[in-house]
Amino acid sequence: MNKYTLSENYLTEITDPIAIETKHLNVFYGKKQATFDANLKFPKHKITALIGASGSGKSTFLRSLNRLNDEIATVTGEIKYQDIDINRKNINVYEVRRQIGMVFQHPNPFAKSIYENIAFALRQNGMTDNLDQRVEKSLKDAALWDEVKDKLTTSALSLSGGQQQRLCIARAIAVQPDILLMDEPTSALDPISSRKIETTMQELKKNYTIIIVTHNMQQAARASDLTAFFHLGHVIEYNRTKKLFTTPKMPATEDYISGHFG
Amino acid sequence: MKNSVNKKAEHANQIALLIIKAMVGVVVLILMALLGYILITGIPNVSWHFLTSPSKDFGAGGGIVNELFNSVYILIITLVISCPLALGAGIYLAEFAKPSFLTNTMRTTIEVLSSLPSIVIGLFGYLVLVIKFQFDFSIISGAFALMFVNIPLLTRNTEESLKAVSHSQREAGWALGLSKWRTILKIILPAAVPGLVTGIILSAGRIFGEAAALIFTAGQSTPVISYANWNPFSSTSFLNPMRPTETLAVHIWKLNTDGITPDATQISSGASAVLIIVILSIILLSRFLGNYLYKKMSGTK
Amino acid sequence: MNKMQQRLLHPSKATRQDRFGKTISLICIGFIMILTVSIIGFIAIHGLATFFENHVSVMQFIFSSNWNPGQLGKNGQPQVGAFAMIVASFAVTLLAAILATPFAIAVALYMTELAPKRGAKMLQPVIELLVGIPSVVYGFIGLVVIVPAIRSVFGGTGFGILAGSIVLFVMILPTITSLTIDSLQQVPDHYRKASLALGATKWQTIYKVILRAALPGILTAIVFGMARAFGEALAVQMVIGNAALTPTSLTSPTATLTSQLTSQMGDTIMGTLPNNALWSLALVLLIMSVIFNLLIKVVGKRGEMKK
């Protein structure tokens, strides 16, 4: 395996308005460090892809942004959202997660009906007015409405994997978060379902800031505006997607995207 | 040479497998003989009269109506007091406990409680509930003693049922901004219902047959009670939780230990048959309900 | 500070819910712990009174077989010797375990190795039913079937250790079986495949590979069964004969710790020596159940280290 200089990196300047930003973010699982000194700015209404080999720390980084790692890891550094460092102790993590929604690698709908999956999320967040319209809107936004409108009361678990994942997206956006984190949302799905979700993302970015972890380089190249390349827990390169894939600045990035990695 | 070794091994193999199968046969025969004996000798003694008349201490022809009611009543009270505690403890262990010395101590304590002989629990109940708290021999004392028997089982069952719910369900709740507690109440507990229900019903079967924890807490006799008196504070009411009570299982033991009832054997075999039938129904119910709930929840119809 | 920042910085309903939920569930488990500790404490205090208040020596309690706490012996000491009960308790426990273990292993092997699908489907209900039958019913059957049978074969009353062991054998059989099944199922499948691929017969595979790999688990299962046998009260009390005498044979009436407690506790008065002596028996039971528990932990740990 080639050795790369992990301490050097190339981070492009972001001039657009920033939705969320990390400063010197480190994540530790016990004594093992998974993410090193990550400094990334995520612009509003853009799709940012995090790429890298397995174990590169990209998922760990993503899960730290909405404090979902609290239980299992120690996260140090700053996560700046709404001009507040939300990685502090006295922060209301429930409100953080409410504003920063998440879609997971494996679809995880609740064992409830399709309708109830979304209505439940709405009710729990006090959004009980116009329930039917809200459910319909979020299903439409997730491009699932036409497929399920006639069977809203059937169990969500009877849907196909791709439909379940879009239901999870619908559930996440129903509560109107500000940022949407997606942790390899298509890795468990077939290519057609994956494509549908990519199309959905392009629609969603009009209203949301999306940060997506993917191990699929084509997906990153196709669907994202910016790309960050992670290697062994370090952010090696962060640039406009087009630039990163056509003129990578770092040798590690170049090797990774050309398939000569490791 | 090699062939003869193989042959010998093959021979040993067949004999060993045959012995195993024979022993399995013996176990099955033992169970069939047991159930057969209880049902065949017992059921002829079970009649409408038997099920609906009170027991007699010194004369023949007594029934088991009070014992049957007492067993059901004490079972219900036991479940009412033990389920919330076990549920809370199970939730703590499955959802909140982090690996630590304290958590280990909690688990060990529950293991110790579950390994305590039920007669020891009964004696503790006698010492503390009957004598110290002056509850006397009563349904309440008995139910508390049974609670101790029931809690370790139910706690473990709760913990296991909750842990069987995929972690991704928890993350789904947290990612929506729900508190951990809300996630547990609204997502994890409903998903764990099939396992919880099966566990509770199975524990009910065990409680229904338990006697050792009761003989020094609930007592070994039933006063004259009236099924028309619905005032639980009246001493003759069947609902009075402070009256002494003899359950069906205790009745069987008592009949065979004192030996003053002339038809003790007939009554015991009838009562055993009733006890077994109730417990078998409980086991079947738990299976059926567990499967039904599971199917209903997973959406595979 | 805008509204969003306010919400991020201040605790909300969810914060309170979590504090509430954690507290409530912690109270539940704390309550259970307090109760368990108080059981042990109360029984220990009462059980030790024989030695501290009535000044009976521990050695006499364990090794003398004169149980007559109401009267003084020749040496002017109260006759509180639990030797007979301790011996009888261990005897029924060991005998039952010796009887049950081969059958339990056979059933477990049949369900996991010989006929995993059909066998498990057929035998699982058998195990569940055996667990479900209450101990008084086992005692009753022992009384009306086993005791007369022993009487007609061996003479005497029929009551005694043999009858007790047979009843306990059936009672602990399902316990040992289901735990043995668990440990057999944990033996990795490639052990079986490797052994069979080397040309070993099924029995050789079972005997030399599977049972050896599962040994710690099987030992744990046996200890669990023994703990259950040791603590069982009513079924044993109904068939043991209830005479506090050192057993002279397997068919002579005797008493175990549990049976003595069951039959005598109602006849003694709180605070008197005969009553304290019974609490001492309960204390022995308690100590034994803790020892069984430790044993299970030790055996289980050893099994883990091997793997």
Side-chain angles (χ1 to χ4, degrees):
Chain A
M1 188 168 173
N2 288 333
K3 287 265 186 219
Y4 301 105
T5 324
L6 296 170
S7 54
E8 286 174 29
N9 57 13
Y10 175 84
L11 306 176
T12 189
E13 272 306 309
I14 306 289
T15 46
D16 301 315
I18 304 297
I20 188 167
E21 160 179 19
T22 65
K23 289 180 180 168
H24 307 295
L25 197 77
N26 295 293
V27 186
F28 302 84
Y29 291 118
K31 278 183 185 147
K32 198 177 158 285
Q33 189 162 1
T35 304
F36 298 82
D37 198 38
N39 297 290
L40 288 173
K41 293 176 180 172
F42 300 97
K44 282 184 178 161
H45 302 300
K46 292 276 191 293
I47 299 176
T48 307
L50 310 181
I51 62 168
S54 341
S56 60
K58 55 194 192 305
S59 280
T60 301
F61 174 82
L62 187 80
R63 293 166 56 92
S64 300
L65 296 182
N66 66 343
R67 302 275 305 263
L68 215 57
N69 271 345
D70 281 14
E71 295 268 318
I72 42 174
T74 318
V75 184
T76 66
E78 221 176 290
I79 302 170
K80 218 161 177 192
Y81 173 69
Q82 299 275 353
D83 285 327
I84 297 177
D85 174 15
I86 55 167
N87 192 35
R88 282 186 320 206
K89 224 181 164 183
N90 56 353
I91 288 290
N92 183 337
V93 292
Y94 315 103
E95 199 53 42
V96 168
R97 293 175 190 154
R98 180 58 192 76
Q99 297 303 325
I100 307 178
M102 189 160 197
V103 176
F104 296 85
Q105 182 174 4
H106 295 281
N108 54 359
F110 302 130
K112 303 173 191 284
S113 72
I114 296 169
Y115 179 90
E116 221 15 71
N117 256 277
I118 294 163
F120 171 80
L122 289 166
R123 260 188 247 117
Q124 292 301 320
N125 281 297
M127 302 157 90
T128 46
D129 53 318
N130 305 327
L131 211 55
D132 289 356
Q133 284 94 318
R134 284 180 190 270
V135 171
E136 183 176 337
K137 168 127 195 349
S138 54
L139 282 171
K140 276 181 174 157
D141 288 348
L144 187 62
W145 175 251
D146 290 333
E147 290 161 63
V148 300
K149 65 182 176 207
D150 299 322
K151 50 173 184 179
L152 289 172
T153 53
T154 53
S155 168
L157 302 175
S158 64
L159 295 173
S160 74
Q163 289 172 325
Q164 286 190 9
Q165 192 62 298
R166 275 178 284 147
L167 180 64
C168 291
I169 294 174
R171 183 178 65 192
I173 58 179
V175 297
Q176 297 175 343
D178 190 17
I179 300 171
L180 193 58
L181 308 178
M182 302 177 106
D183 189 3
E184 303 196 28
T186 61
S187 70
L189 306 180
D190 61 276
I192 296 169
S193 302
S194 303
R195 265 321 206 0
K196 274 194 183 159
I197 286 176
E198 283 170 29
T199 319
T200 310
M201 281 164 49
Q202 298 306 321
E203 286 299 314
L204 289 176
K205 80 170 183 184
K206 290 172 194 157
N207 297 314
Y208 303 98
T209 304
I210 296 177
I211 307 171
I212 176 174
V213 164
T214 176
H215 61 213
N216 179 337
M217 267 182 287
Q218 284 77 22
Q219 185 172 61
R222 267 196 311 262
S224 69
D225 303 307
L226 290 121
T227 299
F229 169 61
F230 278 69
H231 179 54
L232 296 176
H234 295 261
V235 180
I236 302 293
E237 185 161 348
Y238 183 41
N239 209 338
R240 308 251 152 219
T241 299
K242 236 181 215 150
K243 282 193 178 160
L244 188 132
F245 279 98
T246 50
T247 52
K249 299 275 194 290
M250 307 299 293
T253 320
E254 187 168 0
D255 285 356
Y256 183 72
I257 59 175
S258 57
H260 295 305
F261 202 57
Chain B
M1 179 69 193
K2 205 184 166 199
N3 222 339
S4 79
V5 171
N6 275 347
K7 246 186 193 164
K8 230 171 143 185
E10 190 49 44
H11 203 62
N13 181 45
Q14 280 174 356
I15 292 177
L17 297 189
L18 204 69
I19 292 176
I20 291 177
K21 283 176 194 164
M23 289 171 89
V24 171
V26 170
V27 172
V28 175
L29 274 181
I30 290 176
L31 175 81
M32 284 178 16
L34 262 172
L35 285 183
Y37 183 85
I38 297 164
L39 296 177
I40 291 167
T41 61
I43 286 177
N45 294 309
V46 180
S47 61
W48 183 246
H49 174 78
F50 182 69
L51 291 174
T52 54
S53 51
S55 60
K56 292 179 185 168
D57 277 349
F58 304 104
I64 55 165
V65 61
N66 291 339
E67 286 73 19
L68 206 50
F69 171 77
N70 289 340
S71 287
V72 175
Y73 192 36
I74 208 166
L75 168 68
I76 291 170
I77 296 183
T78 304
L79 288 181
V80 166
I81 54 180
S82 56
C83 283
L85 267 179
L87 209 59
I91 287 176
Y92 185 84
L93 288 177
E95 307 289 334
F96 290 111
K98 296 194 173 116
S100 71
F101 175 74
L102 186 66
T103 310
N104 269 341
T105 316
M106 287 173 182
R107 283 181 208 284
T108 310
T109 312
I110 288 176
E111 276 165 32
V112 168
L113 183 59
S114 84
S115 69
L116 288 183
S118 49
I119 184 79
V120 170
I121 289 173
L123 290 174
F124 168 76
Y126 175 62
L127 199 63
V128 173
L129 301 167
V130 176
I131 294 173
K132 283 245 157 67
F133 291 168
Q134 299 186 336
F135 287 170
D136 288 334
F137 289 130
S138 65
I139 292 179
I140 283 293
S141 304
F144 272 106
L146 288 180
M147 177 188 87
F148 286 107
V149 178
N150 208 12
I151 272 182
L153 230 87
L154 269 186
T155 303
R156 205 174 308 145
N157 177 261
T158 307
E159 188 188 350
E160 279 169 11
S161 307
L162 293 178
K163 279 190 170 162
V165 177
S166 159
H167 188 68
S168 71
Q169 291 285 309
R170 291 175 181 83
E171 290 187 334
W174 300 341
L176 287 169
L178 265 63
S179 64
K180 261 184 119 168
W181 183 239
R182 258 295 157 85
T183 308
I184 295 165
L185 288 189
K186 300 280 176 170
I187 301 168
I188 309 301
L189 274 181
V193 157
L196 293 174
V197 169
T198 311
I200 291 171
I201 298 177
L202 278 181
S203 83
R206 191 177 148 178
I207 293 303
F208 198 81
E210 175 60 47
L214 287 177
I215 54 180
F216 295 119
T217 52
Q220 305 167 23
S221 62
T222 308
V224 177
I225 51 171
S226 154
Y227 289 93
N229 186 345
W230 285 76
N231 175 9
F233 299 105
S234 156
S235 62
T236 57
S237 167
F238 67 112
L239 289 175
N240 179 11
M242 299 311 290
R243 66 176 169 88
T245 190
E246 183 192 34
T247 64
L248 197 55
V250 173
H251 189 52
I252 295 172
W253 171 77
K254 179 89 171 148
L255 281 171
N256 289 291
T257 322
D258 287 359
I260 44 174
T261 315
D263 54 351
T265 306
Q266 282 84 336
I267 295 178
S268 310
S269 67
S272 296
V274 173
L275 198 58
I276 291 290
I277 290 169
V278 172
I279 288 172
L280 288 190
S281 321
I282 288 177
I283 294 177
L284 282 178
L285 179 74
S286 79
R287 285 213 146 183
F288 170 78
L289 214 60
N291 282 342
Y292 170 78
L293 288 171
Y294 182 78
K295 273 194 189 136
K296 201 179 155 197
M297 310 249 334
S298 58
T300 49
K301 276 175 191 161
Chain C
M1 204 186 269
N2 68 29
K3 225 175 170 184
M4 190 71 262
Q5 289 172 326
Q6 287 273 8
R7 288 168 71 173
L8 286 168
L9 285 170
H10 294 286
S12 61
K13 220 166 94 190
T15 321
R16 289 190 296 278
Q17 282 167 356
D18 261 8
R19 214 171 292 146
F20 169 82
K22 194 168 180 180
T23 314
I24 284 280
S25 59
L26 193 59
I27 287 173
C28 286
I29 199 157
F31 186 60
I32 294 172
M33 287 177 77
I34 292 170
L35 290 177
T36 310
V37 171
S38 62
I39 291 182
I40 294 173
F42 267 100
I43 301 221
I45 289 169
H46 276 257
L48 291 173
T50 314
F51 309 113
F52 289 110
E53 281 174 26
N54 307 100
H55 306 292
V56 173
S57 85
V58 178
M59 294 309 259
Q60 187 206 342
F61 178 76
I62 297 176
F63 293 109
S64 156
S65 52
N66 283 325
W67 181 266
N68 209 344
Q71 284 162 15
L72 298 182
K74 283 178 205 136
N75 55 1
Q77 283 265 324
Q79 301 179 340
V80 188
F83 185 69
M85 274 85 82
I86 294 174
V87 167
S89 275
F90 275 101
V92 287
T93 302
L94 280 175
L95 260 179
I98 289 169
L99 278 173
T101 303
F103 285 96
I105 292 177
V107 173
L109 283 174
Y110 189 78
M111 287 174 69
T112 56
E113 309 296 328
L114 300 191
K117 278 192 188 136
R118 198 165 42 91
K121 211 172 178 182
M122 191 184 72
L123 290 172
Q124 192 59 44
V126 172
I127 296 172
E128 279 175 27
L129 290 178
L130 282 174
V131 176
I133 297 175
S135 58
V136 284
V137 174
Y138 279 115
F140 172 64
I141 303 262
L143 190 65
V144 294
V145 179
I146 307 290
V147 169
I150 292 175
R151 190 185 304 144
S152 65
V153 175
F154 297 100
T157 59
F159 292 99
I161 288 176
L162 184 60
S165 309
I166 292 175
V167 168
L168 286 175
F169 149 61
V170 186
M171 292 184 71
I172 66 174
L173 184 59
T175 313
I176 303 184
T177 308
S178 49
L179 289 169
T180 303
I181 291 171
D182 290 347
S183 75
L184 290 180
Q185 276 169 346
Q186 274 169 13
V187 177
D189 220 27
H190 60 257
Y191 280 35
R192 294 178 181 88
K193 284 185 181 137
S195 170
L196 291 171
L198 287 171
T201 62
K202 193 129 207 179
W203 170 243
Q204 284 171 328
T205 308
I206 288 172
Y207 182 71
K208 297 211 168 130
V209 180
I210 297 171
L211 285 185
R212 262 170 225 194
L215 189 65
I218 297 175
L219 288 178
T220 316
I222 297 171
V223 179
F224 257 108
M226 287 171 65
R228 186 170 176 206
F230 202 87
E232 174 54 45
L234 302 190
V236 176
Q237 189 257 354
M238 287 161 89
V239 299
I240 199 83
N242 296 314
L245 306 167
T246 312
T248 52
S249 75
L250 290 183
T251 54
S252 70
T254 176
T256 64
L257 294 165
T258 52
S259 77
Q260 189 69 8
L261 277 171
T262 313
S263 51
Q264 302 301 314
M265 192 51 102
D267 300 340
T268 56
I269 298 154
M270 256 316 182
T272 62
L273 174 62
N275 187 270
N276 287 345
L278 287 176
W279 286 106
S280 302
L281 297 186
L283 181 60
V284 175
L285 269 180
L286 187 82
I287 291 170
M288 276 314 295
S289 90
V290 172
I291 288 178
F292 281 125
N293 223 302
L294 286 175
L295 217 57
I296 289 163
K297 284 233 156 117
V298 171
V299 176
K301 272 244 169 74
R302 278 200 137 176
E304 269 170 33
M305 277 196 290
K306 262 188 194 164
K307 268 167 201 168

